C-alpha cells in the first residue's frame, strides 16, 4: 500500500480506519484483495442505499453503456434525463402530491446545497441563512458556512459569513424553548439577527451524531419560517432516498419544504449525481445563472430512474426499512442495557442509527474492534463520540443480526478489554 502514502494527500481519512485494499463488492459486503469479506454498515456514507453493485441497477447501466448511450451531456436534453424526470414525477412527486422543479446542480451534495442557498438569496433578496448546531451541509464555502463542525470550518481558511447558528431540537435539555429563542430573535428589532433568506436543516443529523428532530419541532419550524417569509431548505443528502423509511425524511413530520437537497443514493448505484428540488414559484433562475460541467452524468440518470421504478413503485422498501430499523434500535438498546455503567445512548430513526459513547476515543475503539471482526462502521458527532450505522437498506435480517452481534462484541472489547 506504499503508493497511497507516497502519492495520495494526507487529507485521506476513511482509509486510515480500514487499512486494507478493497477490490470488489456485492450487496452488503465489500471484499479486500485477499478475499476477506467485510459486512458494510457504512454504505458509502449513505450513497449505497440499494447495496453494492445491485444486480438490477447494474444491468440497466450495462445495457445503456452497451448501446452507446450518451455519457456526458451538460444540461442538454437526453433520453436518459427525460426518463429520470418522468419517473420522478410518477413514482415520487405525484403519489406524495408534491410539486417541485428539478435543478441539476452538479455531482455532489455540496453542489445541491450551494444551489439552494444561492437561489434562496436571489428569491428573497436577503443574505443571511440560519443553520443548526451540529449540522453538516458540505465542504464548499457556502455549504461550509452553514456547517457546525469546527474542524471542517477551520479548513475554509477564510471567514465564513452570512450564516447564523440556532439550537437544534434537544440541543439543550427539554426545558429550553428551542424555537422560542429563534422566534424571539426574529421578533426583536434589537436582537442583531438580520432577517434570514432561509433556514437549512437536516431532519436527522448524520455527521453531527445521529441527532433526530422531532416531528412537532419540524412543523413548528416550518410554521415560524412561513410567518416570516423565510424559505425552508431540507438537506436530505444523506437521509433521503428511504434512509429513514419514507423516500423523503421529512414525510413523517408532514412538512413540505420550499427546497430539498438530494445526492448520495439518488443516483442509485453510487454514481455521482445531485438534485435540488425547488417549488415552481421559486424558479427565477436566468439561463446559465447556475451551471457546471458535470450536471448531467447520464449513467447516473439511468440507474436513478431504475432504482425509483424498482424500489418506489410500492411501499415494500419503506416498510422493510422501518422494520429493520426497529430491529437495529432494539439491538442497540440491548447493548446500552448490557453496560449501564458506560452511559451509552442508542439514537436514530429508520436505518440511520447511532450508539453514543462518553467520548471519541471509546467510539473509535469500537469501530476498530468491529473492523477486526469484519464490520465497517464510522464515527460521527462533534468529537467522534457516536458509532454510526448506515447499512444498505437492502440488507437481510440475518445480516442485521450479524452486524449487531459484532457491535455487541466490539463494545464489550472496548469497555472491558479482551477479544
Amino acid at each position: 500500500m506504499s503508493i497511497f502514502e507516497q502519492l495520495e494527500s494526507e487529507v485521506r481519512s476513511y482509509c486510515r480506519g480500514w487499512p486494507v485494499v478493497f477490490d470488489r463488492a456485492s450487496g452488503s459486503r465489500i471484499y479486500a484483495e485477499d478475499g476477506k469479506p467485510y459486512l458494510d454498515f457504512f454504505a458509502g456514507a449513505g450513497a449505497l442505499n440499494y447495496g453494492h453493485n445491485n444486480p438490477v441497477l447494474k444491468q440497466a447501466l450495462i445495457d445503456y453503456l452497451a448501446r452507446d448511450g450518451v455519457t456526458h451531456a451538460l444540461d442538454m436534453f437526453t433520453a436518459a434525463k427525460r426518463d429520470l424526470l418522468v419517473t420522478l414525477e410518477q413514482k415520487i412527486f405525484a403519489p406524495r402530491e408534491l410539486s417541485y422543479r428539478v435543478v441539476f446542480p452538479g455531482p455532489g451534495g455540496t453542489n445541491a446545497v450551494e444551489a439552494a442557498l444561492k437561489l434562496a438569496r436571489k428569491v428573497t433578496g436577503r443574505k443571511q441563512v440560519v443553520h443548526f448546531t451540529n449540522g453538516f451541509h458540505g465542504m464548499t464555502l457556502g455549504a461550509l458556512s452553514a456547517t457546525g463542525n469546527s474542524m471542517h470550518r477551520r479548513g475554509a481558511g477564510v471567514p465564513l459569513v452570512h450564516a447564523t447558528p440556532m439550537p437544534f431540537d434537544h440541543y439543550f435539555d427539554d426545558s429550553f424553548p428551542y424555537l422560542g429563542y429563534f422566534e424571539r430573535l426574529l421578533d426583536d428589532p434589537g436582537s442583531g439577527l438580520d432577517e434570514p433568506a432561509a433556514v437549512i436543516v437536516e431532519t436527522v443529523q448524520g455527521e453531527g451524531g445521529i441527532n433526530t428532530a422531532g416531528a412537532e419541532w419540524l412543523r413548528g419550524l416550518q410554521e415560524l419560517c412561513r410567518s416570516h417569509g423565510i424559505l425552508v431548505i431540507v438537506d436530505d443528502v444523506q437521509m433521503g432516498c428511504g434512509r429513514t423509511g419514507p423516500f423523503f425524511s421529512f414525510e413523517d413530520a408532514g412538512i413540505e419544504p420550499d427546497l430539498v437537497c438530494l445526492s448520495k443514493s439518488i443516483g442509485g448505484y453510487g454514481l455521482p449525481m445531485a438534485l435540488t428540488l425547488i417549488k415552481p414559484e421559486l424558479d427565477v433562475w436566468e439561463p446559465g445563472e447556475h451551471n457546471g460541467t458535470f450536471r448531467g452524468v447520464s449513467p447516473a440518470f439511468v440507474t436513478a430512474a431504475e432504482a425509483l421504478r424498482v424500489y418506489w413503485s410500492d411501499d415494500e422498501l419503506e416498510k422493510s426499512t422501518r422494520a429493520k430499523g426497529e430491529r437495529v434500535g432494539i439491538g442497540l438498546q440491548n447493548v446500552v442495557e448490557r453496560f449501564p455503567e458506560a452511559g451509552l445512548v442508542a439514537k436514530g430513526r429508520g436505518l440511520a442509527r447511532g450508539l453514543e459513547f462518553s467520548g471519541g476515543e471509546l467510539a473509535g475503539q469500537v469501530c476498530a474492534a468491529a473492523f477486526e471482526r469484519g464490520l465497517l462502521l464510522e464515527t460521527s458527532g462533534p468529537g467522534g463520540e457516536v458509532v454510526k450505522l448506515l447499512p444498505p437498506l437492502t440488507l437481510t435480517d440475518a445480516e442485521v443480526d450479524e452486524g449487531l452481534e459484532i457491535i455487541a462484541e466490539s463494545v464489550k472489547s472496548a469497555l472491558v478489554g479482551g477479544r
Side-chain angles (χ1 to χ4, degrees):
M1 293 192 292
S2 60
I3 190 65
F4 300 111
E5 293 188 7
Q6 178 185 340
L7 290 185
E8 191 175 5
S9 167
E10 291 296 326
V11 79
R12 62 191 187 278
S13 61
Y14 293 120
C15 54
R16 296 179 186 276
W18 306 323
V20 298
V21 177
F22 294 107
D23 180 52
R24 62 186 182 89
S26 178
S28 300
R29 297 187 192 272
I30 185 169
Y31 297 82
E33 275 188 320
D34 63 5
K36 180 177 178 178
Y38 292 84
L39 184 59
D40 190 357
F41 273 27
F42 173 67
L48 296 166
N49 283 6
Y50 311 110
H52 292 274
N53 289 305
N54 183 295
V56 178
L57 308 185
K58 178 166 63 176
Q59 191 59 54
L61 177 59
I62 290 171
D63 291 345
Y64 184 76
L65 295 176
R67 71 170 183 82
D68 289 333
V70 174
T71 297
H72 183 272
L74 295 165
D75 71 349
M76 293 183 287
F77 296 146
T78 63
K81 183 195 284 189
R82 179 177 59 202
D83 185 40
L84 173 60
L85 291 172
V86 168
T87 309
L88 268 173
E89 174 62 26
Q90 292 178 346
K91 303 299 182 183
I92 304 301
F93 298 159
R96 292 160 181 79
E97 299 182 345
L98 295 172
S99 179
Y100 287 116
R101 288 194 174 177
V102 180
V103 178
F104 295 92
T110 197
N111 301 108
V113 169
E114 293 286 356
L117 297 178
K118 182 189 289 189
L119 183 59
R121 287 170 169 137
K122 178 178 175 67
V123 167
T124 63
R126 307 170 186 173
K127 295 180 180 178
Q128 203 70 11
V129 170
V130 164
H131 60 103
F132 293 93
T133 49
N134 289 315
F136 179 84
H137 300 290
M139 300 296 278
T140 50
L141 289 182
L144 197 55
S145 70
T147 289
N149 185 283
S150 60
M151 184 271 287
H152 292 318
R153 292 177 64 87
R154 282 196 303 270
V158 296
L160 297 170
V161 297
H162 306 311
T164 302
M166 291 290 162
F168 191 69
D169 197 12
H170 304 299
Y171 182 71
F172 298 108
D173 65 61
D174 290 341
S175 66
F176 191 89
Y178 305 101
L179 291 176
Y181 174 70
F182 185 17
E183 184 174 20
R184 174 66 175 147
L185 292 179
L186 288 171
D187 291 339
D188 182 5
S191 70
L193 176 65
D194 293 332
E195 202 164 41
V199 300
I200 183 166
V201 64
E202 303 156 275
T203 69
V204 181
Q205 295 180 327
E207 301 305 310
I210 311 295
N211 306 312
T212 304
E216 183 178 354
W217 185 85
L218 289 167
R219 288 192 292 269
L221 177 63
Q222 178 175 267
E223 182 179 345
L224 177 61
C225 289
R226 286 184 173 170
S227 69
H228 286 269
I230 302 168
L231 299 178
V232 175
I233 304 168
V234 168
D235 181 343
D236 237 3
V237 167
Q238 191 167 86
M239 295 300 155
C241 304
R243 174 56 55 184
T244 66
F247 185 82
F248 295 110
S249 72
F250 55 79
E251 290 182 54
D252 285 341
I255 65 171
E256 192 171 319
D258 300 294
L259 306 96
V260 182
C261 301
L262 293 172
S263 186
K264 293 191 182 284
S265 280
I266 189 60
Y269 198 70
L271 298 175
M273 177 175 158
L275 305 177
T276 306
L277 311 181
I278 62 176
K279 289 290 187 182
E281 62 271 21
L282 304 181
D283 192 13
V284 298
W285 293 117
E286 306 216 5
E289 191 173 7
H290 188 84
N291 60 33
T293 303
F294 292 100
R295 284 171 287 167
V297 182
S298 299
F301 295 166
V302 171
T303 51
E306 189 69 5
L308 296 180
R309 280 190 289 268
V310 171
Y311 292 104
W312 297 101
S313 291
D314 56 35
D315 63 355
E316 288 304 307
L317 182 65
E318 177 179 345
K319 290 191 295 187
S320 171
T321 299
R322 291 185 190 273
K324 289 170 186 171
E326 287 300 312
R327 194 183 187 103
V328 173
I330 291 169
L332 293 182
Q333 188 58 39
N334 288 340
V335 174
V336 169
E337 294 170 3
R338 184 177 172 186
F339 303 100
E341 71 286 350
L344 308 180
V345 179
K347 311 171 74 175
R349 183 157 63 93
L351 280 173
R353 296 283 170 168
L355 192 60
E356 185 172 332
F357 289 78
S358 59
E361 183 177 355
L362 269 175
Q365 290 172 3
V366 171
C367 290
F371 176 71
E372 291 179 2
R373 291 163 170 80
L375 177 67
L376 301 188
L377 297 168
E378 69 164 328
T379 60
S380 68
E385 68 277 12
V386 177
V387 172
K388 177 182 176 185
L389 289 68
L390 292 176
L393 308 184
T394 52
L395 85 170
T396 65
D397 287 340
E399 288 169 336
V400 169
D401 293 340
E402 179 185 350
L404 288 172
E405 183 177 348
I406 293 174
I407 290 169
E409 293 171 356
S410 301
V411 171
K412 179 183 177 182
S413 173
L415 291 178
V416 302
R419 296 184 62 84

